[in-house]
Amino acid sequence: MSDIYKKRLEKLHGKMKLMDIDAVLITKRENYMYMSGFTGTSACLFITGQRAVLLTDFRYVEQAAVQAPEYEILKYSGSNFNALNHLIECEKVEKLSFEDRHLTFAEHAEFVSRLKVSVFSPLGGAVEELRRIKDASEIELIKKAVNIADNVFTHILKFIKPGVSEIELAAEMEHFMKRQGATGPSFETIVASGKRSSMPHGIASEKKIESGDVITMDYGALYKGYCSDITRTVFLGKPDNELERIYRIVLDTQLKGVAAVKQGITGKEVDTAARNVIANAGFGDNFGHGLGHGVGLEIHEEPMLSMRGVIELKDGMVVTVEPGIYVTGLGGVRIEDMVVVNGETARVLTSAPKELIVI
Ligand SMILES: [Mn+2]
């Protein structure tokens, strides 16, 4: 395991050299998890070419020593500024790089007033860039998170009945995730039924499922820090003719979107390939969100598959493909899988069925 973190440190050192940075302070949780293996909720990493230090408080010292053997563990009490200034002095750091995209305005002001360095330089998304391409160990964890989500789908079909509320369904889904080893849902579970399904992000409400409803479920599991994200749309009772037609268009779009994913193509190009299918079917205005997004330690991360997706896809990137059509007053359909970029094709991780299901 520790080899993984050695490699990640080496890669960060490479970036630090290119950016001419003496030391980096990592404060964003997903980034310190990625760089060290430590999963607690309070820590920061101080990294130079020679030293890798994890600073944390009394609550986490024992856990940090076990999870982050590549790091020197430094316990602080109160605030971490004294400990950081001590390191800055020892290592003669003049230029400290910080996570400008993550820090609040107030935290930045405190850094500048309390840390004894002459230059603060923004790190930008250097660690996020490393995180874009998943290594084999990450793919395994993501696959497990996806498997849990697949099993939730099979499980929840038995509970979809007239009179059960969306929240009750969401509770059953989240309970079942945990019973399979997930630490929880990777985001707030979406269950949107009937006309509510025209809201792409309709969080589960007290609305009861009725016969004839279309039901969209968008959810995911969090497994050892990694997220899954899946959407399935099913029908209770005979589907409305127009929604059934929409379902077939969305499924066709989703399959074509997955087929467009390959190494070297930009997120925008994949998005366009899928968007054209929906536009040609006459529903261009009813697909108002991006086709997909990267998934990993965060539920939404780069690369984006959208009009703004300038990043080129590379082997090992994990993205969602999730077209949808939403018609106010009627309902909506979305189908979402997670895939790994794998040369000329995409390896689909999700295995829950996508053909039209009528319960
Ligand atoms: Mn998604």
Side-chain angles (χ1 to χ4, degrees), residues 232 248-260 274 277-278 291 320-323 334-339 348 350 354:
R232 287 293 183 267
R248 301 203 187 284
I249 296 164
V250 172
L251 180 56
D252 181 42
T253 307
Q254 207 270 345
L255 294 171
K256 285 177 176 146
V258 170
V277 181
I278 286 185
L291 180 69
T320 68
V321 178
E322 50 176 310
R334 180 168 64 259
I335 301 170
E336 172 181 31
D337 282 341
M338 279 170 65
V339 307
V348 181
T350 316
K354 290 192 276 196

Side-chain angles (χ1 to χ4, degrees), residues 41-321:
T41 51
S42 175
C44 69
L45 305 179
F46 175 88
I47 297 169
T48 67
Q50 290 74 41
R51 288 180 78 177
V53 185
L54 187 156
L55 295 92
T56 190
D57 63 56
F58 172 80
R59 296 169 298 165
Y60 290 115
V61 174
E62 190 180 333
Q63 181 184 338
V66 174
Q67 292 184 322
E70 290 305 310
Y71 284 70
E72 294 172 47
I73 310 299
L74 197 63
K75 184 180 92 172
Y76 64 83
S77 40
S79 94
N80 57 15
F81 287 109
N82 288 343
L84 280 170
N85 278 328
H86 178 71
L87 287 167
I88 285 164
E89 222 172 287
C90 282
E91 300 304 313
K92 300 185 175 56
V93 173
E94 288 180 1
K95 192 169 165 186
L96 181 68
S97 194
F98 64 97
E99 293 185 290
D100 52 302
R101 295 185 185 179
H102 167 63
L103 236 54
T104 64
F105 191 74
E107 282 166 339
H108 176 259
E110 206 178 8
F111 270 26
V112 170
S113 75
R114 297 189 63 180
L115 290 177
K116 292 174 182 160
V117 284
S118 39
V119 183
F120 287 91
S121 74
L123 182 65
V127 180
E128 282 86 350
E129 266 171 45
L130 298 179
R131 282 174 38 203
R132 278 181 205 162
I133 295 177
K134 275 67 180 172
D135 62 34
S137 69
E138 293 182 284
I139 303 268
E140 277 312 301
L141 296 174
I142 290 171
K143 235 161 77 182
K144 176 72 184 168
V146 171
N147 287 345
I148 292 173
D150 284 335
N151 294 341
V152 167
F153 181 66
T154 318
H155 176 77
I156 204 63
L157 290 179
K158 297 180 285 214
F159 290 81
I160 299 176
K161 295 184 172 78
V164 64
S165 75
E166 293 171 353
I167 284 186
E168 285 173 292
L169 288 179
E172 183 59 36
M173 292 161 80
E174 294 176 12
H175 177 74
F176 192 68
M177 284 176 203
K178 286 198 173 188
R179 274 173 45 203
Q180 292 179 92
T183 42
S186 53
F187 59 95
E188 206 170 351
T189 300
I190 291 169
V191 179
S193 63
K195 288 176 186 166
R196 286 193 81 241
S197 61
S198 66
M199 296 188 289
H201 275 188
I203 297 298
S205 76
E206 287 176 279
K207 178 192 171 294
K208 289 186 167 37
I209 309 288
E210 294 166 54
S211 185
D213 272 358
V214 57
I215 303 138
T216 299
M217 294 169 285
D218 183 352
Y219 62 94
L222 189 66
Y223 183 76
K224 298 197 172 164
Y226 284 84
C227 300
S228 60
D229 190 2
I230 174 178
T231 308
R232 287 293 183 267
T233 302
V234 299
F235 295 88
L236 180 63
K238 193 193 167 335
D240 170 273
N241 286 341
E242 181 68 350
L243 279 174
E244 185 171 343
R245 190 169 80 88
I246 287 172
Y247 191 95
R248 301 203 187 284
I249 296 164
V250 172
L251 180 56
D252 181 42
T253 307
Q254 207 270 345
L255 294 171
K256 285 177 176 146
V258 170
V261 171
K262 61 177 179 181
Q263 193 182 30
I265 197 169
T266 64
K268 184 184 156 88
E269 288 170 310
V270 182
D271 180 89
T272 303
R275 200 164 294 281
N276 286 342
V277 181
I278 286 185
N280 290 339
F283 286 99
D285 292 339
N286 302 81
F287 175 32
H289 57 77
L291 180 69
H293 53 87
V295 190
L297 289 166
E298 286 177 274
I299 185 68
H300 296 128
E301 53 183 52
E302 296 286 3
M304 294 297 161
L305 306 186
S306 75
M307 314 277 245
R308 286 163 289 129
V310 292
I311 295 168
E312 245 180 47
L313 300 188
K314 292 198 175 111
D315 276 3
M317 287 183 172
V318 174
V319 294
T320 68
V321 178

